Amino acid sequence: MPEPELIPDSTQNNRWSPIEMGVLATMVVVFLAVSLWRQTVEGIAHNPYDTIGIIVAAGLTLIMYSFLYRDNPLFKIAENLYVGISLGYATVMGWREALRPEVFDPLFRAPTETVLYDTLLHRSVPIILGILLVTRLSRKYGWLSRYSFGMLIGWGSGMGIAITTHTFILKQLETAIGPFQGAGQHAAVVPFSWPWMTAVALPILLAGIVMIGTVAVLWYFFFSVEHKRAGGALSKLGILFLMVSFGASFGYTVMGRVSLLIGRVQFLLFDWLKIPR
Amino acid sequence: MNASQTQSKKLRQAGIVRRVIFVLVAVAVIVPYILKPNLPGEPNHWAEEVYKRVDTLKPGSHMMLAFNFEPSSGAELYPMVRVVLMHCFKKGVVPVLMTHYTNALNLMKQVVAESATQAKKKWGKDVQPGKDYVILGYRPGDEMLIVNMGENLKGAFDKDLDNRLTQNMPALKGVNSLRDLDLAMDFASSGTTQMWIAYGSDKFGFPLVAGTTAVQAPDLYIYLPPSGQLKGFLGGLRGAADYETLLCRSDNVAVEGPANKGMPSQSAVHVMLVLLILGANVRMIYGKFAGKRKV
C-alpha cells in the first residue's frame, strides 16, 4: 500500500487534499481577522478607501505568494486581475493624457474656429496616420497601415541610425582605444614607477583585456567558419567572458528580485500589520 | 523501487527542497526587521558622483527627473526618487518631472507629496507646485518626445499634470529646451536610459545621470566615465541606500530611510544564497567523486 502523502507532489496532479483545503480556508479566516485587528474598525471608518486598499493589497500580495506552494484558483484570479487592471489603467490614462487633449478636444471641443482650423492644418495628417495604424487589424484594409508604418520606420531609421552609430559604437570605440592613445601623454612619467603603473600600465592592461574579450566574444558568434585550433581556443575564451558577464548579470538580477521582495515585506509589516518602523 | 517511482520520489524531494528554500528566504528577509542590526556600509563611487552632481547645483537650477518606471519596479526606484527629490528640495533645485509611462502618473504625484512633506519636516522647506517643482506628466513618443523636448520643451508639454500652462510658469523660467537643463536623471526599469543617452544627452549636450533597477545596472557600466555618457549612476535598492547615507551624513544625522531599512535583509539573503550555492556545489563535486570511486 503506498504511503500517504503529507506534502502532495504538485507536479503530479492539481487536486487539493482535504488537509490543504482546510489549511487554505483557515488562512483566509486568519488573514481577515488579522486585517481587522491591525487596521481596526476605527481606521476603516476614518479612512475607508486607504484602509480597504491596504487590506486588498495585502491579500493580493499573499495570494500571489501562494503560488510558491502550488498553483491555485485564487492565484489565477489575482494574476488576471493584475493584467486586466494594468491594461485598463494604461488605456484610461492614455486616453486622458494623450488622445483626449491632443486629438479629441482640439477637433470636437475647439473653443474657437481659429483653433479648429489650426488643428485641421497641423494635426490632421498625424491623426489620419494614427487611425490608419488601426486598420492593421483588418485583413481587407490592413494595407493602409503601411503608410503609417513607413513613416514610423523612415523617421526611426533617419534619426536612429546616425545617433545609434555615434552613441553605441563610435563613442564606445573611442573609450576603448583611449588608454592606448593616452599613454603618449604620460611620456614624462618615469617608466615602471608607481605613477606610471597607475596612469599608463594599468589602463592599458584593462583596455587590452576588454579588447581581447570583445574580439573573443564576437568571434564566438561568428558561425561562418568552423572554430578549430586557434579559432577554437579564442571561441572558448569568448565563452569564458560571456559566463563572467552572465554571472554578474545574474548576481544583479538576484539583488533586484530580493529588493522587490523586501518592498513587499516592508508593506506587509509596516502598512498592513502596522509594526512600528 | 522501479524507475518511475524513483523519478516521482526525486520530484517530490525537489519540491520539498524548493519550498524549504522559499521559507528560508522569507525568514532571512523578515528577521532583520525584528532584530534591526546596524550593518556598516560605504556608498559606492558612482552613487557619490550622482550625489555630488546634485549637491553642487545652485539654488534655482533645473533638474529633469525622467520617471520611467511603473509600480512593479517601485520597490527599488521609489526610495531612489524620494531621496533625490528630497535633496533637490533641500538645495532649492527645481525638479522637473516627466514620464514615458502612463502607469507612473499617480506614483509621481505620491512621491513628490511624500518628499515635500519630508523636506518641510527636516529643513523647513515649503515647496509649491509650479514654483518650486513641476510635474509635466506623460506624453507618448519615447525617442520622439525626447527630441521634441530637446528642441522645444514647452511645446512638448504645453500644460503640466494639473493643467497649468507651462509657457510663463515660474518653475520653468529660463528653460526652453533640454539644453537649458543643469542636470537630468533617468529613473529606469527598462531601456529608457540608453534612449536618453542617445537622443538626449549626446544630442543636446546636457549632463545625465541614471538610477535604475539592479537588473538594468550591468548594461549601463559601459556609459560611465571614461566614456562619460553617464556622469554617475545609482543601481537598485543599494544605490538608493547609498544616496540616503550621503544625504544623512551631510546633515550629521543617523542614517535612515526606506532603502537603508532594507539593506540588512538584502545582506542576509545574499549570504544565505551564497552559502546554499556553495553547499550545492560541494555536494555535486562530492557526488561526482563518490560516483567515480564506486566505478
Side-chain angles (χ1 to χ4, degrees):
Chain A
M1 189 139 182
E3 289 175 20
E5 295 180 354
L6 288 176
I7 301 175
D9 183 0
S10 61
T11 60
Q12 298 301 308
N13 62 68
N14 283 326
R15 283 179 285 123
W16 286 69
S17 69
I19 296 174
E20 285 178 318
M21 294 292 284
V23 167
L24 184 64
T26 309
M27 284 170 75
V28 170
V29 170
V30 165
F31 167 76
L32 289 169
V34 167
S35 299
L36 278 174
W37 168 48
R38 294 311 299 170
Q39 297 297 318
T40 74
V41 178
E42 287 81 17
I44 296 169
H46 179 65
N47 204 353
Y49 296 118
D50 283 354
T51 310
I52 291 171
I54 288 171
I55 295 173
V56 169
L60 288 171
T61 302
L62 294 170
I63 285 172
M64 289 305 222
Y65 285 135
S66 71
F67 184 76
L68 296 173
Y69 178 63
R70 63 190 293 187
D71 197 2
N72 58 82
L74 282 178
F75 170 79
K76 284 191 172 57
I77 291 170
E79 189 184 30
N80 288 311
L81 201 63
Y82 168 68
V83 172
I85 288 177
S86 302
L87 281 173
Y89 187 82
T91 306
V92 169
M93 295 310 267
W95 163 257
R96 206 183 86 162
E97 299 298 321
L99 283 174
R100 191 176 67 184
E102 301 293 334
V103 176
F104 186 82
D105 284 349
L107 275 180
F108 301 109
R109 288 187 185 168
T112 62
E113 269 186 17
T114 315
V115 170
L116 179 61
Y117 291 144
D118 185 68
T119 301
L120 288 171
L121 183 65
H122 292 112
R123 293 179 195 235
S124 50
V125 171
I127 289 171
I128 290 168
L129 285 174
I131 292 168
L132 286 179
L133 269 174
V134 182
T135 61
R136 189 84 185 150
L137 297 169
S138 161
R139 272 201 191 162
K140 196 173 172 191
Y141 299 108
W143 61 272
L144 287 166
S145 64
R146 288 190 195 140
Y147 291 107
S148 307
F149 281 116
M151 284 287 295
L152 280 171
I153 291 165
W155 185 92
S157 305
M159 286 293 295
I161 289 174
I163 286 175
T164 305
T165 309
H166 173 260
T167 300
F168 301 126
I169 300 174
L170 296 179
K171 201 87 173 121
Q172 296 299 314
L173 264 177
E174 184 190 324
T175 313
I177 62 175
F180 299 107
Q181 242 182 347
Q185 294 166 5
H186 299 280
V189 180
V190 174
F192 302 105
S193 63
W194 183 250
W196 181 86
M197 296 288 249
T198 51
V200 178
L202 189 61
I204 288 178
L205 177 68
L206 293 173
I209 292 171
V210 167
M211 202 161 279
I212 290 169
T214 306
V215 170
V217 169
L218 285 171
W219 177 251
Y220 171 73
F221 287 109
F222 188 66
F223 300 121
S224 304
V225 174
E226 198 178 344
H227 294 169
K228 285 192 294 195
R229 291 186 289 274
L234 189 61
S235 183
K236 282 198 169 61
L237 183 64
I239 293 171
L240 196 65
F241 274 90
L242 281 169
M243 290 298 120
V244 169
S245 80
F246 290 152
S249 278
F250 175 71
Y252 258 119
T253 304
V254 165
M255 184 172 101
R257 300 296 176 238
V258 172
S259 301
L260 296 178
L261 173 61
I262 286 170
R264 286 289 84 202
V265 166
Q266 281 188 342
F267 166 77
L268 288 172
L269 290 178
F270 301 137
D271 294 317
W272 179 53
L273 291 177
K274 291 200 183 305
I275 290 170
R277 287 178 192 259
Chain B
M1 198 183 275
N2 64 27
S4 72
Q5 281 176 326
T6 312
Q7 172 79 346
S8 179
K9 186 181 173 195
K10 278 188 180 165
L11 283 171
R12 206 171 303 122
Q13 282 174 346
I16 293 169
V17 167
R18 193 164 50 93
R19 287 158 184 153
V20 166
I21 292 174
F22 293 151
V23 169
L24 286 175
V25 169
V27 166
V29 169
I30 293 170
V31 164
Y33 283 104
I34 301 166
L35 299 178
K36 295 185 189 169
N38 195 7
L39 297 179
E42 277 305 303
N44 77 38
H45 170 68
W46 299 118
E48 282 182 1
E49 286 298 314
V50 177
Y51 181 85
K52 269 189 228 159
R53 287 265 165 185
V54 179
D55 207 46
T56 49
L57 292 174
K58 296 189 182 66
S61 303
H62 294 87
M63 176 175 174
M64 175 157 280
L65 276 65
F67 198 99
N68 291 321
F69 64 94
E70 295 180 330
S72 53
S73 304
E76 288 185 273
L77 294 173
Y78 187 97
M80 209 184 274
V81 185
R82 178 184 172 276
V83 70
V84 170
L85 270 173
M86 281 168 60
H87 196 192
C88 288
F89 291 146
K90 177 187 172 190
K91 299 293 298 183
V93 169
V94 179
V96 180
L97 289 100
M98 57 76 61
T99 180
H100 295 288
Y101 287 65
T102 49
N103 287 351
L105 290 167
N106 275 325
L107 208 55
M108 265 203 302
K109 283 159 80 165
Q110 192 182 325
V111 75
V112 169
E114 191 176 326
S115 306
T117 307
Q118 289 297 315
K120 184 159 173 119
K121 195 169 118 186
K122 286 179 189 296
W123 307 297
K125 300 275 181 179
D126 199 4
V127 294
Q128 301 298 327
K131 187 168 155 253
D132 303 299
Y133 69 88
V134 57
I135 305 177
L136 294 173
Y138 160 81
R139 289 289 183 275
D142 294 343
E143 297 93 345
M144 286 184 252
L145 176 62
I146 298 172
V147 172
N148 204 359
M149 287 195 292
E151 281 157 10
N152 184 358
L153 180 67
K154 291 172 185 171
F157 288 94
D158 57 337
K159 289 182 186 166
D160 72 356
L161 193 62
D162 294 322
N163 271 326
R164 289 184 206 93
L165 290 171
T166 54
Q167 198 51 45
N168 294 314
M169 189 180 275
L172 289 175
K173 191 176 171 188
V175 178
N176 296 310
S177 77
L178 292 179
R179 288 190 183 90
D180 301 321
L181 291 173
D182 299 287
L183 185 63
M185 185 161 186
D186 180 37
F187 296 93
S189 62
S190 61
T192 53
T193 304
Q194 285 90 329
M195 197 169 71
W196 271 87
I197 292 170
Y199 293 88
S201 65
D202 269 10
K203 193 171 160 59
F204 297 104
F206 56 87
L208 179 69
V209 294
T212 68
T213 55
V215 173
Q216 289 291 311
D219 295 337
L220 297 180
Y221 277 97
I222 57 171
Y223 302 111
L224 293 165
S227 160
Q229 290 160 301
L230 274 181
K231 308 300 179 198
F233 123 97
L234 303 175
L237 195 65
R238 166 68 196 272
D242 287 346
Y243 206 99
E244 283 174 358
T245 303
L246 290 164
L247 191 63
C248 291
R249 279 184 188 171
S250 73
D251 288 340
N252 287 319
V253 296
V255 172
E256 57 165 9
N260 268 289
K261 273 203 175 57
M263 284 299 104
S265 299
Q266 188 90 258
S267 305
V269 173
H270 283 192
V271 167
M272 190 200 79
L273 286 175
V274 167
L275 290 174
L276 281 173
I277 291 170
L278 282 174
N281 276 287
V282 163
R283 191 182 186 287
M284 182 201 70
I285 293 167
Y286 172 77
K288 266 192 178 170
F289 279 119
K292 274 188 187 163
R293 252 189 270 131
K294 272 187 192 164
V295 169

